[in-house]
Amino acid sequence: ATVAGGLIIGLSRLDRVPVEVRELSRLARNDAPKIAEGCRFDENREVQALLPPVCNSRPSQLATFVLWGDSHALAWQPFAWQLADVAGASAAPMTLNSCPPGTGHADAGQIGNCEQFNRLVMQWLSRHPLDTVVVAQRWPRALSQRSAAPAHLAQRIDALGRALEQLGQVRRILVLGPLPTMRRAAPDCIALGWERQCSSPLRLHRQRVAPVWQQLEALALRFPNVVLIDPTEYFCDESHCAPDRHGFGLYRDDNHITASASRGFAEAYL
């Protein structure tokens, strides 16, 4: 009854939301990176080869930039593409849903063909002269400010560390840190006018991701070519991390950022 009542209230509020707000919600829900036909892996099938050069940001150039990670890395594709474009370079997408970047077995949450995919990625990375590798994933976070370190964090850090040991020839490796998450799908929050209710308090976000940053900072001390990137300031104001900012929606659901957010962050970063 509570759920049904919430839906009825939500729908009645939706009728009163201005058209431009509903349009902002619609745009956010569909604001994903543009992926060409044949340039996305089916995680339910065995990965036998990486994507062809036609999927690169500049298909006619040899890629010297790489984007590596899971579906959250894919959401960062406009950021990686813009970095490469500014450098006059081409970037290659190496992302697979539910597959954290690293070598070996990252954690129980990864899909079955993740190890094979990452093995192919590492083989490719070791054989090509590279300028920049952008690494991203959905980092596990503590359930609350008093919780212990999140599950699978140590395994993911170890897996990434083993990969970094083999990537000393790469000029720089940009590791994107954890993002805030919403309390429900951001486009719904925008459409219903629930931005504040869906927002995550900045202080709570920082507390929940503190164990991740401790591990990442220790990792960066081991590898001089690793640069850590904290996107928090772009996604949050001085007190809250909201579903929309800078004139557009920041998330397509409750955790994947929009292509507009990825591009906007690239402009701020550069």
Side-chain angles (χ1 to χ4, degrees):
T2 302
V3 174
L7 290 173
I8 292 171
I9 293 171
L11 290 172
S12 65
R13 290 194 62 171
L14 184 59
D15 290 337
R16 300 196 299 270
V17 171
V19 173
E20 60 270 20
V21 175
R22 276 184 274 173
E23 179 65 7
L24 179 66
S25 168
R26 185 191 68 81
L27 290 173
R29 196 181 306 277
N30 298 290
D31 192 5
K34 291 182 172 58
I35 309 297
E37 184 69 27
C39 291
R40 183 193 293 272
F41 286 109
D42 178 356
E43 59 265 33
N44 297 316
R45 299 180 61 183
E46 181 181 358
V47 178
Q48 298 181 336
L50 297 178
L51 296 173
V54 70
C55 299
N56 295 352
S57 62
R58 296 185 178 188
S60 62
Q61 282 183 234
L62 178 66
T64 55
F65 281 57
V66 168
L67 173 64
W68 182 22
D70 57 14
S71 63
H72 290 75
L74 178 59
W76 281 111
Q77 180 171 294
F79 168 74
W81 267 217
Q82 197 156 334
L83 289 183
D85 192 56
V86 167
S90 179
M94 299 187 183
T95 63
L96 179 66
N97 291 356
S98 302
C99 185
T103 60
H105 193 76
D107 62 54
Q110 71 184 41
I111 58 173
N113 55 5
C114 183
E115 286 187 59
Q116 167 65 4
F117 172 76
N118 281 334
R119 190 177 301 115
L120 291 171
V121 171
M122 289 299 298
Q123 290 173 358
W124 193 96
L125 296 177
S126 67
R127 295 171 183 169
H128 294 80
L130 296 171
D131 180 273
T132 299
V133 176
V134 179
V135 176
Q137 63 175 291
R138 185 178 189 182
W139 290 104
R141 64 199 64 223
L143 296 176
S144 72
Q145 63 190 60
R146 297 183 180 87
S147 298
H152 312 313
L153 177 58
Q155 296 97 313
R156 292 195 182 194
I157 290 291
D158 288 345
L160 182 56
R162 290 192 297 269
L164 294 175
E165 288 173 353
Q166 303 174 50
L167 298 177
Q169 83 284 4
V170 180
R171 183 179 73 86
R172 63 174 179 173
I173 300 173
L174 306 181
V175 179
L176 285 150
L179 283 160
T181 57
M182 298 293 98
R183 294 178 177 177
R184 62 180 293 172
D188 294 343
C189 298
I190 295 170
L192 295 169
W194 289 351
E195 287 93 338
R196 181 60 69 172
Q197 295 94 320
C198 294
S199 296
S200 172
L202 175 59
R203 182 179 178 183
L204 177 60
H205 164 67
R206 291 200 183 281
Q207 290 170 337
R208 292 183 64 196
V209 301
V212 180
W213 280 113
Q214 290 171 0
Q215 296 271 13
L216 287 177
E217 287 164 2
L219 198 65
L221 289 175
R222 293 170 50 198
F223 304 102
N225 59 346
V226 168
V227 178
L228 303 180
I229 299 177
D230 184 355
T232 302
E233 287 189 6
Y234 184 81
F235 288 82
C236 307
D237 61 23
E238 63 278 2
S239 62
H240 283 80
C241 307
D244 61 318
R245 200 174 181 219
H246 311 293
F248 46 77
L250 296 175
Y251 302 87
R252 292 185 288 116
D253 46 32
D254 64 350
N255 59 89
H256 291 88
I257 64 171
T258 61
S260 294
S262 184
R263 283 190 296 269
F265 181 78
E267 294 170 3
Y269 180 78
L270 293 169

